[in-house]
Every structure is written in structure tokens, then in C-alpha cells.
Amino acid sequence: MLVCLFCPESVPLQQKDILLKHLLLEHKLVIADVRLIADLPKYLSYWRSRFLEQPVTEFCSVIKTNSNGPIEKQENYFLLCDVLPEDLILRERLQQKRLEEVLEQQQLEREDNSFHHSCMFCSEEFTGNRSSLLNHMAREHSFSIGLPDNIVYCKEFLETLQSKLDELQCLYCEKTFRDKTTLRDHMRKKSHRRINANNREYDRFYVINYLELGKTWEEVQSEDDGELVDDGHNDDWSDWRAHPMSAVCLFCHHQSETMDLIYTHMKESHGFDLHQLRTELDLRFYQQVKLVNFIRRQIHQNHCYGCQQKFDSREGILSHIQTEDHVMMLPDASAWDQPQYYFPTYENDALLCTLSDSDDGCEDSHSKDVPVIAEDVSELRTLKQTSILKQLLKNRNSCS
């Protein structure tokens, strides 16, 4: 509940605008930048107690209206803002506490393997880590709300989006349609299968909005990099560090920040050695790309890529390939060496970025695969007689 700073008037948190209107009309008080206050109930409680100790004029800027008019028509309004050091400290303290709570909640969600939710577009059920559902929607339905690690209160976020779809509302333009078919066609044709970044309702679900006091995600992202330039014009890049790419295992949801670690994990945990397959099959770069995408697609669809047997769950397929020793068993190349597997199964698959060409440093290793088409010499005499060079020589002799 939100309680007035001066009287017993109170409203639910969702109706804060009613209380702000009450403060303005009844008590002539305005609170600046309310939307940037991390915890409005605690903020109001603090100032309610302070106003009982000292008059409001000790804390607020006084704005006189109609100052040139008659005294009886003049009114004083009070502005409570972070120009006052005490107010700024309070806002920063509330912001810091909220950030700590959000980061703690985010960590719990990242490690939670009891997450259960169905896809909004195909009703497929997902149990385990939230990333499996978010990756599925991005991969299969081209709908992305962002990277899982950037999101907090994920289940509430998904329920908010689901409620909009249930009300036949487009997630982007937020228009309402008469039936699900019309809504689906609209979102597909208009490329509206995404959320509206200008809708502030979604801000609370992204960690970036809690990072800096008084700044929205747009302001954080649009900060001028020029402000970060060192006045010393230091051109030394020795302390620069790249952000690590997180690669995902071909068989489970395990992620590693280095390729060596993910290759080691796949070899030790699943018995899969991509380097060995590359060497044994003499795979070139694009063949490796297609093989990785093929295996990802088959595992995602719960198919054994070795024997094409179908299973009901990820656990079933993984148990099968281990017990039947199908981990390193590939089908005929015609099954996976197809143009459709040029395209990644997962968006921004870091594993594809580290594949190396098996013929590095050996230019002739695949020369036998390159077809050489011989010249057609069957009409050599005709070619000589009709050659343009012969005509040019005739013209030259006649000129001389």
C-alpha cells in the first residue's frame, strides 16, 4: 500500500497515480521523477516520518504560482526532488537495495532447474532451465525477448505476454484482433513477432534497468562513448579484454566460456570428439558447419542422428546414444551434407565460430575433389579457320 505523506489516505501500489494526484490537489506537493524511485512505499514512509519531525519547507523547494496577482490568489506548491542531498541519498540507497535483490533473484533463476512453462506459440511443454524455452521460441518461432542472462522475473514476464496473446493483442503494435488466426497472420506478415521496446511495462523484467540510478535502458545504451575517452590519448590496447563467448554443448544445456572447455566437456561427459571426426572424415570447414547444425537439429527433435530413432524426451535420446554407443556413429554423408544445414539451429552458435579447416596449410589436399574440365578440341580445324586472329592478320597485310 501507498500511504499519503500528510493524511491517512492510501491506495494500492498499482494505483500510484491516484495518490500522486491526491498529493498535488490536496497538499500541493509534487514528487519529481517518481518512475525512477526503486521502492516507492519505503520512499513515502521515510518522508512521512520526516515531515512529522520538521515542516515541509525544510525539505522542499517552494514554487509560488500567480506571483504577480493578488495575494489571495497566490498559492505555494512544494517540490520534493533529489536536489536535496538527503533525498538523493535515500534514492540511491533504495536503488542499491533493489539492485541487490534483483541480482539475487536473477541468480536463482539462472540456476533453477525446476522451471516449467509451455511455449506461447506451439504449447510444447518445457521443464528444467528457463533457457530451454527461451531458446526454443527464438529458434523455432523467431520470437526473442532477449538473452536469458539479461532477464529477471522470467515467469511473470512470460505470463504477461501470454495474457496479451489470450486477449488477442499483438505484442508489438498492441492492436486487438477478432480471432487467433487473424492475430497470427498479422504478427507474421508485419514482422511483429517481437515486443515493443517502448512499452515501459516490460522494463522491470530486464536487469539493465536496475543498474544506474535515474537512467533507463535507452539512456544507458545511448551514452556517448566519447565521455569514456582518456584525455591522455593512450593508444595502448594491452589491457583490452574481449567478452568471452559462451558455447553450448551439442547434447545438453552445459555452457563454457572457452572452446577448449566445451570440447573437453563433450568428450568426457558424452564421449563425443569433434576433432576426431574432423580428422577421420577429412572434413572441410563447411562440412563441419553442416555436421554441427545437423547434430543440433536431431538432438533438439529428440532423434538419434545415428539410427534416426525417435524419443519422447532429451533424457531418452541421451541415454540411448550412450547405451547403444551411437555417439560417434554418423549416418551416410548424404543425410547431413545438405544445403539446409548451412543455417544454424541456434542463433549465434559460438561453436560454429571456432571450427577450423582441416586442410589449413595444405593447398593440394583436396585437389582430387576439384573437377577439371578439358578443352573441347574436336573442332580445332574449324576454330583455326574462323579465328578472329586470322581475320586481323588479313586486315593488317592489306593495310601494309
Side-chain angles (χ1 to χ4, degrees):
M1 295 292 290
L2 301 177
V3 183
C4 176
L5 299 173
F6 305 98
C7 69
E9 180 76 17
S10 63
V11 298
L13 179 60
Q14 295 78 7
Q15 299 177 5
K16 67 178 182 180
D17 289 341
I18 295 178
L19 181 65
L20 295 175
K21 181 179 179 180
H22 166 80
L23 286 171
L24 175 62
L25 298 179
E26 299 298 328
H27 305 289
K28 307 292 190 287
L29 183 132
V30 176
I31 301 175
D33 296 322
V34 175
R35 66 184 180 84
L36 299 178
I37 298 175
D39 193 330
L40 187 56
K42 289 184 178 179
Y43 180 87
L44 295 175
S45 175
Y46 176 87
W47 282 115
R48 180 181 174 86
S49 62
R50 291 292 283 142
F51 289 164
L52 292 175
E53 298 171 358
Q54 294 178 267
V56 65
T57 52
E58 293 293 321
F59 306 103
C60 298
S61 302
V62 180
I63 303 172
K64 186 184 293 292
T65 63
N66 198 22
S67 58
N68 295 325
I71 295 179
E72 62 272 13
K73 292 188 177 182
Q74 294 180 5
E75 290 184 299
N76 289 334
Y77 283 82
F78 306 97
L79 177 64
L80 182 60
C81 63
D82 58 6
V83 172
L84 179 69
E86 184 176 353
D87 186 85
L88 178 61
I89 293 172
L90 174 61
R91 292 177 184 238
E92 289 178 342
R93 187 168 70 244
L94 294 175
Q95 175 75 12
Q96 182 63 32
K97 191 173 187 304
R98 174 57 58 87
L99 177 59
E100 292 172 358
E101 293 172 353
V102 166
L103 292 178
E104 182 179 355
Q105 175 66 25
Q106 183 200 33
Q107 187 63 27
L108 290 174
E109 293 182 15
R110 290 175 65 183
E111 298 174 351
D112 180 24
N113 290 317
S114 62
F115 175 86
H116 179 80
H117 208 280
S118 60
C119 175
M120 297 186 294
F121 303 103
C122 67
S123 300
E124 183 177 347
E125 298 284 335
F126 289 86
T127 301
N129 192 276
R130 60 182 182 164
S131 61
S132 58
L133 171 58
L134 299 183
N135 289 334
H136 162 81
M137 291 194 298
R139 182 176 60 250
E140 300 297 330
H141 305 292
S142 301
F143 177 79
S144 176
I145 58 176
L147 296 175
D149 286 348
N150 296 337
I151 296 171
V152 67
Y153 307 119
C154 182
K155 196 162 188 177
E156 184 179 346
F157 194 2
L158 294 172
E159 290 171 354
T160 300
L161 297 175
Q162 183 66 61
S163 67
K164 291 182 181 292
L165 292 178
D166 292 341
E167 295 171 0
L168 304 179
Q169 189 178 44
C170 174
L171 297 178
Y172 182 74
C173 68
E174 301 182 344
K175 293 180 181 177
T176 302
F177 295 83
R178 65 177 181 271
D179 53 52
K180 288 186 176 180
T181 302
T182 307
L183 172 61
R184 184 173 61 249
D185 291 344
H186 162 80
M187 293 178 66
R188 177 177 57 82
K189 293 177 181 178
K190 297 292 186 179
S191 297
H192 282 188
R193 195 170 283 186
R194 51 200 170 108
I195 65 172
N196 188 345
N198 294 322
N199 188 336
R200 299 301 176 197
E201 180 184 2
Y202 303 134
D203 285 357
R204 64 183 301 264
F205 302 117
Y206 292 92
V207 176
I208 190 174
N209 291 302
Y210 299 92
L211 297 182
E212 293 192 51
L213 176 64
K215 291 184 180 180
T216 63
W217 66 270
E218 292 172 314
E219 292 169 329
V220 171
Q221 288 191 334
S222 63
E223 285 181 338
D224 186 4
D225 288 342
E227 297 176 1
L228 306 177
V229 176
D230 187 359
D231 292 337
H233 304 289
N234 188 359
D235 294 330
D236 183 13
W237 287 49
S238 60
D239 61 345
W240 183 82
R241 296 291 183 272
H243 292 287
M245 290 191 304
S246 186
V248 183
C249 173
L250 286 171
F251 304 96
C252 66
H253 297 300
H254 176 82
Q255 299 183 27
S256 296
E257 292 185 352
T258 67
M259 296 303 108
D260 289 338
L261 288 177
I262 200 66
Y263 283 131
T264 300
H265 163 79
M266 290 192 294
K267 187 173 182 179
E268 294 180 352
S269 299
H270 306 288
F272 181 81
D273 191 338
L274 183 59
H275 294 310
Q276 180 181 331
L277 288 176
R278 186 193 71 183
T279 303
E280 290 179 352
L281 301 178
D282 201 17
L283 299 178
R284 285 166 285 182
F285 175 76
Y286 287 110
Q287 289 177 312
Q288 296 175 64
V289 169
K290 288 185 279 190
L291 179 59
V292 167
N293 290 332
F294 168 77
I295 293 176
R296 278 215 193 278
R297 178 67 58 85
Q298 296 302 307
I299 294 296
H300 169 71
Q301 296 174 344
N302 296 327
H303 283 106
C304 173
Y305 53 84
C307 66
Q308 294 301 303
Q309 186 174 345
K310 170 71 174 175
F311 293 86
D312 296 329
S313 65
R314 175 68 63 90
E315 291 74 18
I317 174 63
L318 293 182
S319 175
H320 165 78
I321 62 176
Q322 292 287 345
T323 56
E324 298 297 327
D325 199 22
H326 286 184
V327 179
M328 296 290 286
M329 186 179 81
L330 298 180
D332 187 78
S334 60
W336 55 266
D337 197 0
Q338 299 288 337
Q340 61 180 311
Y341 296 116
Y342 278 126
F343 304 98
T345 304
Y346 290 166
E347 185 180 3
N348 299 325
D349 190 345
L351 193 59
L352 298 174
C353 301
T354 62
L355 299 176
S356 59
D357 201 337
S358 62
D359 60 357
D360 287 346
C362 183
E363 298 180 358
D364 299 327
S365 61
H366 293 288
S367 59
K368 61 181 182 294
D369 297 331
V370 180
V372 178
I373 303 175
E375 293 184 62
D376 186 359
V377 295
S378 58
E379 299 294 335
L380 186 57
R381 180 174 298 177
T382 303
L383 288 173
K384 288 181 178 180
Q385 291 175 351
T386 59
S387 173
I388 191 172
L389 293 176
K390 186 175 181 180
Q391 185 63 38
L392 289 173
L393 287 173
K394 283 184 178 179
N395 294 338
R396 179 182 179 186
N397 292 335
S398 63
C399 293
S400 59

